[in-house]
Amino acid sequence: MHDEIILEALKYVKDALGAYDYICDTVAKTQHIPADIMFSKADLGWGPHSKRPKDAWLSYAPPSGDDKRTRTLPCMSAEVISRCRLFRLYSDKRSRLFVHDAIHDMETLFWVLVETCLTRSWILTLKHTTTIHTVAVFIYFDATELQLQVSKRDVVASPKKLEGSSFAALKPLVRKWWSILLLGYKYRGDEFHNIHGHIRHILLEALAP
């Protein structure tokens, strides 16, 4: 791999082992890269993206009160509904401190897409059968807050549990979207800081003729 990849990973994950894991996980997500070639940051999807301007957040005032989350519960991100960060970084002693960020909004949009995939077919036919899809709707959307915390943290640990989508054509998009979110949460790297650019890229890719 090019030196620029190592330097880029070390910008976010200061520990050498963590940076190596970050690169390997990103390569695994980017399945089109042959194992025997020299690849670049662009091959991994690391920039250039339209980085959000820092001053865009200067006027933002977080919600008051103890519970700084906003509804609706079923589409909350796993971290927001759990009120904590789900991964501990290698060199970050404060890595369990939860702060709401743009990546959580992108996960909310993800859950809207998943709910549509799971429910659309049987809503149209008005058949409320106990299929894998209706069970999944209950587990991830119609359960209590505590059950939603457990189920969403569970799918973070086992992403293949999202394979039951009704829309076969959307499965590749769902997989890519979720893998980007997990990379962002785990390493707080390019996928975290440039999450809008990453999601925009895969959406345009999915909509291309």
Side-chain angles (χ1 to χ4, degrees):
M1 71 183 77
H2 290 291
D3 290 343
E4 65 172 7
I5 293 179
I6 300 173
L7 294 175
E8 186 72 13
L10 286 171
K11 279 172 51 179
Y12 303 112
V13 186
K14 307 303 181 183
D15 180 272
L17 178 60
Y20 175 77
D21 288 345
Y22 178 29
I23 294 169
C24 290
D25 282 355
T26 307
V27 170
K29 182 261 297 183
T30 313
Q31 298 176 357
H32 67 272
I33 299 179
D36 58 345
I37 70 165
M38 289 285 288
F39 50 88
S40 65
K41 290 195 302 181
D43 292 320
L44 299 182
W46 290 354
H49 295 288
S50 298
K51 290 181 171 58
R52 67 184 187 195
K54 294 182 181 299
D55 59 358
W57 294 88
L58 292 179
S59 61
Y60 172 74
S64 60
D66 294 333
D67 191 347
K68 294 179 170 48
R69 304 168 306 164
T70 55
R71 308 290 168 169
T72 306
L73 279 173
C75 292
M76 279 186 183
S77 76
E79 286 197 342
V80 172
I81 200 169
S82 299
R83 302 181 184 88
C84 70
R85 284 171 56 173
L86 301 179
F87 293 96
R88 183 180 297 278
L89 298 183
Y90 294 84
S91 56
D92 186 358
K93 294 181 180 179
R94 298 175 300 169
S95 61
R96 289 294 180 180
L97 179 64
F98 170 75
V99 177
H100 188 279
D101 214 301
I103 193 171
H104 302 111
D105 297 329
M106 292 298 98
E107 186 184 341
T108 290
L109 186 57
F110 168 86
W111 285 113
V112 171
L113 175 64
V114 170
E115 184 179 26
T116 301
C117 293
L118 291 171
T119 61
R120 186 65 174 172
S121 61
W122 61 266
I123 285 178
L124 285 175
T125 58
L126 300 179
K127 293 180 180 178
H128 295 263
T129 57
T130 55
T131 65
I132 185 174
H133 303 310
T134 54
V135 170
V137 169
F138 172 76
I139 292 174
Y140 298 114
F141 300 99
D142 289 344
T144 65
E145 180 173 349
L146 180 58
Q147 290 170 325
L148 288 172
Q149 287 182 26
V150 173
S151 61
K152 291 195 175 183
R153 294 180 71 155
D154 189 36
V155 82
V156 168
S158 303
K160 287 189 176 181
K161 292 188 176 182
L162 287 172
E163 295 292 315
S165 168
S166 293
F167 286 173
L170 284 177
K171 284 184 181 180
L173 174 62
V174 168
R175 293 191 193 105
K176 288 179 183 179
W177 197 323
W178 190 247
S179 67
I180 289 170
L181 291 172
L182 290 185
L183 284 172
Y185 285 137
K186 187 172 183 179
Y187 297 106
R188 252 56 181 183
D190 191 85
E191 295 80 9
F192 177 83
H193 293 281
N194 302 313
I195 185 64
H196 293 104
H198 282 275
I199 299 305
R200 179 178 181 272
H201 174 76
I202 62 172
L203 285 172
L204 290 176
E205 187 179 65
L207 292 171

